[in-house]
Amino acid sequence: MTKTQATIITIGDELLIGQVIDTNSAWIAQELNKAGVAVRRRVAVADDWIEIWNALDAELENADIILITGGLGPTADDITKPLLCKYFGGTLTVNDEALANVKYLFEVVFKRPLIPVNLKQAEVPDVCTVIQNKRGTAPGMWFNKNGKIIISMPGVPHEMKGMMTSTIIPKLLEEFDLPVIVHRTLLTAGVGESFLSENLKEFESNLSKDIKLAYLPSSGMVRLRLSSSGFDKIETIKAIDHKFLELQSIITEYIVTVNDEPLAKALGNLLATDNKTMATAESCTGGHIAQLITTNPGSSAYYKGSIISYDNAVKENILKVSAQTLLEHGAVSEQTVKEMLAGVLKVVGADYALAVSGIMGPDGGSSDKPVGTVWIAAGTADKYVTKQFNFRFDRARNIEFTSLNALNLLRKFITGQP
């Protein structure tokens, strides 16, 4: 089975110096995968004529499709369009539809005067198929060379996504006979990658050559992904679903969710199904748990809110943690998170709550409570669990690990897992 293979090229000095994070490649790869196109390489190059030219030469050797983002703006450092024009032996000409779009955007939407440099956005190589940009001024370009397809899009994510969804993906589906690519992903917690690998050794060795197992560790959790592709959609899905059920049966006790979703979403689904609500009382995480929860659409159905009691005065005055508790046991203690839990449940009125307090670093620790010491409480007004953690990372990772372990502690409390 021959797979249609793609390369994604992102252009911009800002990507190489870390000033801007390349989110375009990840989104494009996901969309291509859904369509049945296998992404084999992602390449980032500078705003440099030779670098871009060489990247095109190199990727055309192996890829069937090259998707390029960036370098289509009106300023001098945006060189992608004139380069592609020369690369494919064309001449820049004004595209009437693109010109009308530029005029409409400036005169009607932006209400700003047009200057010559803006009008040049409507110029495209006469050897390309123009991809109109309904979300911006720079049109995209579609080239064919020796049976290979090269597509150039703006680097602005909103504009690129509009082109991909409305024009590029449908056109690729017309051009190629594409297989179905299927993934099944589950999330585990409380177990390391090496331990999972050892437990799944026999399972992995018995997989057919068409199904691959990937281990994706992150922040104390591991996602396991089975992937397969084929031109018979029904048979491909049937085969991978059978192995996915077998995979689940081997590691049942460690599974958080059998959907490709983050922990916060899995917890939210659990609450929504039971028609229950939750709240958070956060000290050391400073609202990060709330952010993880509310990133998910629909979270207002089950999330009441958070009290960020970063200062002890907030713990006392709003959450009603007693001064005696703070004096005798300190802010980072089992006693304090118990009272924080009771306080937030009373103030917010949710069914469940989480409370966290800890020392994230790089300073603030002591011999009794070193940096990374965390206490978490999860439960209801009548029943709860507490747990101490001792992380060993930098501040950012300590916050991330605290937040995820708190969410998982509440999930286990609700489901009755030990």
Side-chain angles (χ1 to χ4, degrees), residues 4 25 28 33 38 76 95 101 132 176 207 218 259 266 284 287 306 311 317-318 323 330 335 392-394 410:
T4 301
S25 291
I28 292 170
N33 210 255
N95 180 268
N101 182 57
Q132 298 300 334
F176 295 93
L207 288 174
S218 176
N259 300 312
C284 57
S306 178
D311 187 271
N317 297 331
I318 297 179
Q335 291 79 4
R392 61 190 187 282
F393 311 113
D394 60 22
L410 180 57

mmCIF file of all heavy atoms in Angstrom, residues 4 25 28 33 38 76 95 101 132 176 207 218 259 266 284 287 306 311 317-318 323 330 335 392-394 410:
data_model
loop_
_atom_site.group_PDB
_atom_site.id
_atom_site.type_symbol
_atom_site.label_atom_id
_atom_site.label_comp_id
_atom_site.label_asym_id
_atom_site.label_seq_id
_atom_site.Cartn_x
_atom_site.Cartn_y
_atom_site.Cartn_z
ATOM 1 N N THR A 4 0.254 8.405 0.581
ATOM 2 C CA THR A 4 0.518 9.773 0.143
ATOM 3 C C THR A 4 1.220 10.494 1.279
ATOM 4 O O THR A 4 0.690 10.587 2.387
ATOM 5 C CB THR A 4 -0.793 10.480 -0.229
ATOM 6 O OG1 THR A 4 -1.446 9.747 -1.266
ATOM 7 C CG2 THR A 4 -0.515 11.893 -0.704
ATOM 8 N N SER A 25 1.935 23.898 12.310
ATOM 9 C CA SER A 25 2.316 22.554 11.877
ATOM 10 C C SER A 25 1.483 21.482 12.565
ATOM 11 O O SER A 25 1.047 20.517 11.927
ATOM 12 C CB SER A 25 3.796 22.305 12.148
ATOM 13 O OG SER A 25 4.606 23.087 11.314
ATOM 14 N N ILE A 28 -2.100 21.570 11.095
ATOM 15 C CA ILE A 28 -2.112 21.065 9.722
ATOM 16 C C ILE A 28 -1.934 19.550 9.704
ATOM 17 O O ILE A 28 -2.625 18.825 8.978
ATOM 18 C CB ILE A 28 -1.008 21.739 8.884
ATOM 19 C CG1 ILE A 28 -1.319 23.221 8.680
ATOM 20 C CG2 ILE A 28 -0.855 21.059 7.526
ATOM 21 C CD1 ILE A 28 -0.173 24.011 8.063
ATOM 22 N N ASN A 33 -3.944 14.201 8.618
ATOM 23 C CA ASN A 33 -4.113 12.849 9.125
ATOM 24 C C ASN A 33 -5.558 12.384 9.003
ATOM 25 O O ASN A 33 -5.836 11.253 8.611
ATOM 26 C CB ASN A 33 -3.667 12.805 10.589
ATOM 27 C CG ASN A 33 -3.129 11.450 10.979
ATOM 28 O OD1 ASN A 33 -3.800 10.708 11.665
ATOM 29 N ND2 ASN A 33 -1.933 11.127 10.517
ATOM 30 N N ALA A 38 -0.260 11.111 5.192
ATOM 31 C CA ALA A 38 0.747 10.875 6.228
ATOM 32 C C ALA A 38 1.804 11.978 6.193
ATOM 33 O O ALA A 38 2.446 12.199 5.167
ATOM 34 C CB ALA A 38 1.409 9.525 6.022
ATOM 35 N N ALA A 76 9.108 43.791 3.457
ATOM 36 C CA ALA A 76 10.295 43.379 2.701
ATOM 37 C C ALA A 76 10.820 42.013 3.114
ATOM 38 O O ALA A 76 11.452 41.310 2.310
ATOM 39 C CB ALA A 76 11.394 44.418 2.868
ATOM 40 N N ASN A 95 -4.437 39.265 -9.495
ATOM 41 C CA ASN A 95 -5.619 38.416 -9.533
ATOM 42 C C ASN A 95 -6.826 39.265 -9.166
ATOM 43 O O ASN A 95 -6.893 39.841 -8.077
ATOM 44 C CB ASN A 95 -5.463 37.248 -8.563
ATOM 45 C CG ASN A 95 -6.669 36.326 -8.550
ATOM 46 O OD1 ASN A 95 -7.583 36.494 -7.751
ATOM 47 N ND2 ASN A 95 -6.672 35.347 -9.439
ATOM 48 N N ASN A 101 -10.997 41.447 -2.998
ATOM 49 C CA ASN A 101 -11.024 41.070 -1.583
ATOM 50 C C ASN A 101 -10.216 42.052 -0.736
ATOM 51 O O ASN A 101 -10.649 42.471 0.344
ATOM 52 C CB ASN A 101 -10.469 39.653 -1.416
ATOM 53 C CG ASN A 101 -10.515 39.169 0.020
ATOM 54 O OD1 ASN A 101 -11.560 39.133 0.647
ATOM 55 N ND2 ASN A 101 -9.356 38.797 0.559
ATOM 56 N N GLN A 132 -8.279 31.670 -2.644
ATOM 57 C CA GLN A 132 -8.749 32.936 -2.098
ATOM 58 C C GLN A 132 -8.774 32.903 -0.572
ATOM 59 O O GLN A 132 -9.048 31.868 0.043
ATOM 60 C CB GLN A 132 -10.140 33.279 -2.642
ATOM 61 C CG GLN A 132 -10.187 33.458 -4.151
ATOM 62 C CD GLN A 132 -9.277 34.582 -4.649
ATOM 63 O OE1 GLN A 132 -8.975 35.523 -3.914
ATOM 64 N NE2 GLN A 132 -8.827 34.479 -5.903
ATOM 65 N N PHE A 176 -6.161 12.883 -4.819
ATOM 66 C CA PHE A 176 -5.502 11.640 -4.414
ATOM 67 C C PHE A 176 -6.511 10.589 -3.962
ATOM 68 O O PHE A 176 -7.568 10.912 -3.412
ATOM 69 C CB PHE A 176 -4.522 11.899 -3.263
ATOM 70 C CG PHE A 176 -3.361 12.773 -3.623
ATOM 71 C CD1 PHE A 176 -3.424 14.142 -3.417
ATOM 72 C CD2 PHE A 176 -2.208 12.231 -4.170
ATOM 73 C CE1 PHE A 176 -2.340 14.959 -3.744
ATOM 74 C CE2 PHE A 176 -1.133 13.033 -4.505
ATOM 75 C CZ PHE A 176 -1.199 14.404 -4.291
ATOM 76 N N LEU A 207 1.111 -7.694 17.530
ATOM 77 C CA LEU A 207 0.417 -6.761 16.636
ATOM 78 C C LEU A 207 0.793 -7.047 15.187
ATOM 79 O O LEU A 207 1.942 -7.371 14.886
ATOM 80 C CB LEU A 207 0.799 -5.314 16.973
ATOM 81 C CG LEU A 207 0.240 -4.725 18.269
ATOM 82 C CD1 LEU A 207 0.834 -3.336 18.507
ATOM 83 C CD2 LEU A 207 -1.282 -4.652 18.238
ATOM 84 N N SER A 218 3.919 12.262 29.391
ATOM 85 C CA SER A 218 3.873 13.705 29.629
ATOM 86 C C SER A 218 3.361 13.972 31.032
ATOM 87 O O SER A 218 2.281 13.501 31.407
ATOM 88 C CB SER A 218 2.952 14.384 28.613
ATOM 89 O OG SER A 218 2.824 15.758 28.883
ATOM 90 N N ASN A 259 -10.639 7.865 25.673
ATOM 91 C CA ASN A 259 -10.774 8.851 24.608
ATOM 92 C C ASN A 259 -9.512 9.700 24.530
ATOM 93 O O ASN A 259 -8.810 9.868 25.527
ATOM 94 C CB ASN A 259 -11.988 9.750 24.864
ATOM 95 C CG ASN A 259 -13.278 8.965 24.920
ATOM 96 O OD1 ASN A 259 -13.547 8.147 24.049
ATOM 97 N ND2 ASN A 259 -14.077 9.197 25.955
ATOM 98 N N ALA A 266 -11.715 14.617 30.836
ATOM 99 C CA ALA A 266 -12.241 13.334 31.305
ATOM 100 C C ALA A 266 -12.982 13.500 32.632
ATOM 101 O O ALA A 266 -14.065 12.937 32.839
ATOM 102 C CB ALA A 266 -11.108 12.322 31.444
ATOM 103 N N CYS A 284 -0.778 27.150 45.809
ATOM 104 C CA CYS A 284 0.482 27.116 45.071
ATOM 105 C C CYS A 284 0.313 27.092 43.555
ATOM 106 O O CYS A 284 1.216 27.510 42.819
ATOM 107 C CB CYS A 284 1.307 25.905 45.503
ATOM 108 S SG CYS A 284 0.457 24.315 45.287
ATOM 109 N N GLY A 287 -4.338 29.168 40.260
ATOM 110 C CA GLY A 287 -5.403 29.175 39.272
ATOM 111 C C GLY A 287 -5.167 28.258 38.083
ATOM 112 O O GLY A 287 -6.002 28.200 37.170
ATOM 113 N N SER A 306 -13.301 29.115 41.420
ATOM 114 C CA SER A 306 -12.100 28.883 42.220
ATOM 115 C C SER A 306 -11.852 30.046 43.171
ATOM 116 O O SER A 306 -12.180 31.197 42.865
ATOM 117 C CB SER A 306 -10.887 28.714 41.298
ATOM 118 O OG SER A 306 -9.707 28.537 42.059
ATOM 119 N N ASP A 311 -2.327 34.041 49.472
ATOM 120 C CA ASP A 311 -1.881 34.624 50.744
ATOM 121 C C ASP A 311 -2.662 33.992 51.888
ATOM 122 O O ASP A 311 -3.841 33.663 51.754
ATOM 123 C CB ASP A 311 -2.100 36.144 50.714
ATOM 124 C CG ASP A 311 -1.500 36.834 51.915
ATOM 125 O OD1 ASP A 311 -2.212 36.953 52.930
ATOM 126 O OD2 ASP A 311 -0.327 37.246 51.842
ATOM 127 N N ASN A 317 -9.609 34.600 55.833
ATOM 128 C CA ASN A 317 -10.778 35.462 55.734
ATOM 129 C C ASN A 317 -11.871 34.922 54.827
ATOM 130 O O ASN A 317 -13.059 35.176 55.064
ATOM 131 C CB ASN A 317 -10.362 36.851 55.252
ATOM 132 C CG ASN A 317 -9.424 37.543 56.227
ATOM 133 O OD1 ASN A 317 -9.489 37.290 57.440
ATOM 134 N ND2 ASN A 317 -8.538 38.379 55.724
ATOM 135 N N ILE A 318 -11.491 34.213 53.770
ATOM 136 C CA ILE A 318 -12.501 33.736 52.825
ATOM 137 C C ILE A 318 -12.770 32.236 52.988
ATOM 138 O O ILE A 318 -13.917 31.809 53.043
ATOM 139 C CB ILE A 318 -12.078 34.051 51.375
ATOM 140 C CG1 ILE A 318 -11.988 35.574 51.197
ATOM 141 C CG2 ILE A 318 -13.063 33.442 50.373
ATOM 142 C CD1 ILE A 318 -11.558 36.016 49.826
ATOM 143 N N ALA A 323 -6.544 30.449 62.138
ATOM 144 C CA ALA A 323 -5.209 30.986 62.371
ATOM 145 C C ALA A 323 -4.364 29.991 63.157
ATOM 146 O O ALA A 323 -3.148 29.892 62.965
ATOM 147 C CB ALA A 323 -5.308 32.314 63.124
ATOM 148 N N GLY A 330 1.234 25.164 59.537
ATOM 149 C CA GLY A 330 1.723 25.848 58.351
ATOM 150 C C GLY A 330 0.738 25.773 57.190
ATOM 151 O O GLY A 330 -0.198 24.969 57.195
ATOM 152 N N GLN A 335 -3.741 19.490 57.430
ATOM 153 C CA GLN A 335 -4.798 20.180 58.152
ATOM 154 C C GLN A 335 -5.300 21.401 57.377
ATOM 155 O O GLN A 335 -6.507 21.660 57.305
ATOM 156 C CB GLN A 335 -4.292 20.614 59.538
ATOM 157 C CG GLN A 335 -4.036 19.458 60.488
ATOM 158 C CD GLN A 335 -2.706 18.747 60.212
ATOM 159 O OE1 GLN A 335 -1.932 19.164 59.344
ATOM 160 N NE2 GLN A 335 -2.436 17.671 60.950
ATOM 161 N N ARG A 392 10.085 17.089 42.329
ATOM 162 C CA ARG A 392 11.509 17.410 42.331
ATOM 163 C C ARG A 392 11.893 18.261 41.119
ATOM 164 O O ARG A 392 13.039 18.259 40.687
ATOM 165 C CB ARG A 392 12.320 16.101 42.308
ATOM 166 C CG ARG A 392 12.051 15.257 41.068
ATOM 167 C CD ARG A 392 12.662 13.867 41.148
ATOM 168 N NE ARG A 392 12.534 13.135 39.906
ATOM 169 C CZ ARG A 392 11.440 12.532 39.481
ATOM 170 N NH1 ARG A 392 10.342 12.602 40.219
ATOM 171 N NH2 ARG A 392 11.407 11.895 38.334
ATOM 172 N N PHE A 393 10.906 18.977 40.580
ATOM 173 C CA PHE A 393 11.144 19.667 39.325
ATOM 174 C C PHE A 393 11.316 21.174 39.529
ATOM 175 O O PHE A 393 11.405 21.657 40.651
ATOM 176 C CB PHE A 393 9.978 19.388 38.369
ATOM 177 C CG PHE A 393 9.625 17.931 38.264
ATOM 178 C CD1 PHE A 393 8.412 17.446 38.749
ATOM 179 C CD2 PHE A 393 10.508 17.029 37.693
ATOM 180 C CE1 PHE A 393 8.087 16.105 38.662
ATOM 181 C CE2 PHE A 393 10.203 15.685 37.593
ATOM 182 C CZ PHE A 393 8.990 15.227 38.086
ATOM 183 N N ASP A 394 11.356 21.910 38.417
ATOM 184 C CA ASP A 394 11.385 23.360 38.518
ATOM 185 C C ASP A 394 9.968 23.868 38.789
ATOM 186 O O ASP A 394 9.011 23.099 38.847
ATOM 187 C CB ASP A 394 11.961 23.986 37.236
ATOM 188 C CG ASP A 394 11.157 23.641 35.989
ATOM 189 O OD1 ASP A 394 9.957 23.283 36.110
ATOM 190 O OD2 ASP A 394 11.719 23.724 34.883
ATOM 191 N N LEU A 410 -9.190 13.666 42.474
ATOM 192 C CA LEU A 410 -10.638 13.847 42.526
ATOM 193 C C LEU A 410 -11.343 12.825 41.627
ATOM 194 O O LEU A 410 -12.378 12.269 41.997
ATOM 195 C CB LEU A 410 -11.027 15.264 42.118
ATOM 196 C CG LEU A 410 -12.529 15.568 42.129
ATOM 197 C CD1 LEU A 410 -13.138 15.303 43.503
ATOM 198 C CD2 LEU A 410 -12.801 17.007 41.693
#
